[in-house]
Amino acid sequence: MSLACTGIGIGSARSIALGDAYVLSRGPVEISPHWIDEDKVEDEIERLRQAIETARHELRAVREQIPAETPEDIAEFIDAHLLMLSDVTITEAPQDLIRNQLCRAEWALQIRRDALVEVFDAMDDTYLRTRREDVEHVINQIQKILVEGRGPEPPVHENMDGRVIIAQDLTPADIILMRHRGVSAFVTEFGGPMSHTAILARSLGIPAVLGARNVTQYLKHGELLVVDGSKGVVLAEPDDRVLAHYCQLLEDNQAHREALRGLVRQPSASADGETVHLLANIELPEDIAHARAAGATGIGLYRTEFLYMNRSATPDEEEQLAAYLEVVRGVDGIPVTIRTLDLGADKQMGGRSQLNCPPVCNPALGLRAIRLCLKEPELFVPQIRAILRAAAEGPVRMMLPMLSNLQEVMSARRLIEEAKRSLRRDGLAFDDEIPIGGMIEVPAAALSADSFAQHLDFLSLGTNDLIQYTLAIDRVDDEVNYLYDPLHPAVLNLIRMTIDAGHRHNIPVSMCGEMAGDPNYTRLLLGLGLRRFSMQPNSILEVKDIVRNSRTLDLRQRVAALLTHQTDRDNESLLAELNQI
Ligand code: PEP
Ligand code: MG
């Protein structure tokens, strides 16, 4: 039988993969109250012990398999879970419930879990509250083994090389862990193309399809799949004709990429001689090599929050400094824009659950990014100090995410000045002149771009969030993803206003949202006056190819006309016309 599922593709040119399905059953197991007979108590305790032992064994095996070059924090994250598996609150307390209340093992664990979650929820400290997710994850792991006979992670003895992971949902942290096991593609039931899970998969060059509802029920473990990330299509058990078609596409993609490699050393300028800066977005240390290989002339966005994921403790100043220096030293003197912490919404510190707040709140509108940092200076200041210190060794710029008003800029600047004073007192080298920039990703900021431009050294358009907030659609919610429209007149006007404000105040404006790396929009953005594009390294040469074949003057006139007459024609056809000239 052949079956097709559609979702939202997140890929680029090399977004096709063929591989055997690995269906992850990650959803929480249904545990209902269940009791045992008195004479079964010892058997039940033994069952629980065995399950905990299996969970421990599986995790230890994953820990041992992690390659040496993997960032330490991933191992630490697993260590924290291993530690929990030895903690009496999880190992002994459920035994008492089995003994005294005759609970079945999984039900005893559930009672324990509920009690612990209540304690964590009552805590004021945001960081400690995030530990709740770890407790839930570890308990869920044991319960799954008790109920289904296997844990939520692919067991280590299973070869994952080339497999396609099918799951309900995956976090950015999951993507990092599974990448190390050689998986070839991801298909999930939930999630949108602008989620950080999708962005990470794209930047790692892993094809993915998100939002393919019920896919975990339709697809069978082990069956051959074709995943076409560019179209958002998953095909199960393809026949010979379909297979031949996709194998040919894979070959063509490969040949296209080889041909683009010839552009690495060519200047990045339009056909009418305008220099266009093509910068790289990076998340992980290994991205440095990709950025260099693609000939990026700078790092336009270093997402530092990935340093905080897959671990239980916040990285201290020295650890952050070491990570930033690895980048600064690794990029051969090109400028590095380090974005301060943008935790919150779909980027949480721990590994598993997406949200760290009561179900009624909307995390995308909540305490994230600069808001969180200003509220918790103990989190922010060590990072500011580390960035200032890294800047002593090479050209570094500091970028503040998700600004919505000027007070945030002023408050951040005050903390930066204080950090400089403290570094001076400590006798540590830093860059006193470090440029401070801000991300324009909230409509209010774009509408006030002139004021931001007067108080910042550069601006960067974060279109992933700008589109989300302008159109009031959650970027990770696949139910409303059809409304995610970079061509919406309101979005284009906000982009244009920001670029124009940069010109008026003579400061650089770049774009580091996914729109900058989508070759469909290159000409549109050139026509809007953008000259600095920051994107995942995989896209740089494709965008460069278009830049070199475009005339910016023509584009400016056409795009101005397009914005004026936008209501008469549909956006897609206007864009297609622009891309054909
Ligand atoms: C953006 O919002 O466009 C952006 C680059 O930031 P992030 O995707 O990390 O939120
Ligand atoms: Mg953003």
Side-chain angles (χ1 to χ4, degrees), residues 441-443 465-473 488 490-491 494:
E441 43 188 352
V442 173
D465 279 318
L466 186 61
I467 297 168
Q468 145 167 276
Y469 296 128
T470 305
L471 304 180
I473 42 162
H488 191 293
V491 173
L494 292 175

Side-chain angles (χ1 to χ4, degrees), residues 196 303 339 342 347 368 441 462-465 475 512-513:
H196 288 91
R303 286 186 168 97
R339 179 173 74 181
D342 185 11
K347 286 179 288 192
R368 63 171 281 205
E441 43 188 352
T463 45
N464 307 338
D465 279 318
R475 63 196 257 194
C512 60

Side-chain angles (χ1 to χ4, degrees), residues 34-45:
H34 218 108
W35 288 271
I36 52 166
D37 293 337
E38 223 167 329
D39 60 341
K40 294 280 186 309
V41 164
E42 287 315 313
D43 290 349
E44 198 58 15
I45 287 177

Side-chain angles (χ1 to χ4, degrees), residues 258-316:
E258 297 285 336
L260 285 177
R261 266 194 216 130
L263 291 180
V264 174
R265 304 210 180 286
Q266 299 298 324
S268 177
S270 65
D272 52 354
E274 281 252 12
T275 300
V276 176
H277 301 269
L278 299 180
L279 317 167
N281 291 353
I282 63 169
E283 281 95 32
L284 306 169
E286 56 258 48
D287 296 334
I288 303 171
H290 297 142
R292 287 182 57 171
T297 52
I299 304 298
L301 168 64
Y302 173 12
R303 286 186 168 97
T304 55
E305 46 282 1
F306 285 88
L307 260 180
Y308 292 69
M309 290 181 188
N310 276 325
R311 59 185 299 154
S312 47
T314 316
D316 64 12

Side-chain angles (χ1 to χ4, degrees), residues 182-194:
V183 303
S184 66
F186 299 101
V187 181
T188 63
E189 296 202 3
F190 302 101
M194 294 304 145

Side-chain angles (χ1 to χ4, degrees), residues 5-288:
C5 295
T6 51
I8 305 151
I10 63 158
S12 57
R14 59 165 162 172
S15 53
I16 294 169
L18 272 74
D20 291 344
Y22 191 100
V23 183
L24 269 188
S25 97
R26 272 272 184 79
V29 269
E30 279 288 313
I31 307 286
S32 42
H34 218 108
W35 288 271
I36 52 166
D37 293 337
E38 223 167 329
D39 60 341
K40 294 280 186 309
V41 164
E42 287 315 313
D43 290 349
E44 198 58 15
I45 287 177
E46 186 49 30
R47 225 181 118 237
L48 175 66
R49 271 205 207 103
Q50 288 290 340
I52 293 174
E53 199 39 51
T54 308
R56 209 178 278 137
H57 175 75
E58 283 184 2
L59 260 186
R60 262 200 219 113
V62 171
R63 173 79 168 81
E64 278 158 21
Q65 284 222 341
I66 292 179
E69 69 278 11
T70 308
E72 223 170 88
D73 39 4
I74 291 181
E76 281 174 14
F77 171 69
I78 296 174
D79 283 344
H81 285 194
L82 273 170
L83 223 61
M84 269 183 212
L85 280 169
S86 304
D87 196 291
V88 285
T89 49
I90 289 180
T91 56
E92 309 265 316
Q95 289 189 24
D96 294 342
L97 286 164
I98 296 173
R99 222 172 253 120
N100 304 328
Q101 295 185 26
L102 301 180
C103 295
R104 202 166 155 77
E106 40 275 60
W107 179 237
L109 276 168
Q110 190 67 14
I111 296 174
R112 226 25 238 144
R113 176 209 161 273
D114 292 348
L116 288 168
V117 161
E118 211 170 295
V119 174
F120 276 98
D121 280 349
M123 291 176 180
D124 284 336
D125 185 302
T126 324
Y127 165 69
L128 283 177
R129 275 206 315 266
T130 64
R131 299 300 95 218
R132 180 190 105 161
E133 295 165 11
D134 292 319
V135 172
E136 285 186 300
H137 174 71
V138 168
I139 291 182
N140 185 40
Q141 195 160 2
I142 310 168
Q143 287 174 323
K144 273 211 171 278
I145 292 167
L146 284 165
V147 175
E148 298 174 357
R150 67 174 173 137
E153 306 300 339
V156 128
H157 54 79
E158 203 123 12
N159 180 8
M160 299 306 292
D161 225 21
R163 313 268 318 241
V164 177
I165 296 285
I166 312 294
Q168 286 195 321
D169 209 353
L170 294 168
T171 63
D174 290 325
I175 301 289
I176 298 174
L177 280 174
M178 291 188 196
R179 211 289 292 264
H180 285 289
R181 299 190 61 186
V183 303
S184 66
F186 299 101
V187 181
T188 63
E189 296 202 3
F190 302 101
M194 294 304 145
S195 67
H196 288 91
T197 299
I199 291 174
L200 190 60
R202 190 159 36 230
S203 99
L204 293 170
I206 305 177
V209 171
L210 283 80
R213 283 294 162 89
N214 298 322
V215 72
T216 53
Q217 287 158 38
Y218 293 146
L219 298 177
K220 288 198 297 289
H221 215 60
E223 69 186 332
L224 179 64
L225 299 180
V226 171
V227 179
D228 183 346
S230 61
K231 302 256 182 335
V233 168
V234 184
L235 298 167
E237 293 180 4
D239 60 26
D240 289 348
R241 226 162 34 102
V242 172
L243 259 185
H245 169 73
Y246 278 99
C247 288
Q248 186 60 49
L249 276 182
L250 274 172
E251 261 178 45
D252 295 349
N253 284 348
Q254 188 57 27
H256 178 59
R257 298 201 75 78
E258 297 285 336
L260 285 177
R261 266 194 216 130
L263 291 180
V264 174
R265 304 210 180 286
Q266 299 298 324
S268 177
S270 65
D272 52 354
E274 281 252 12
T275 300
V276 176
H277 301 269
L278 299 180
L279 317 167
N281 291 353
I282 63 169
E283 281 95 32
L284 306 169
E286 56 258 48
D287 296 334
I288 303 171

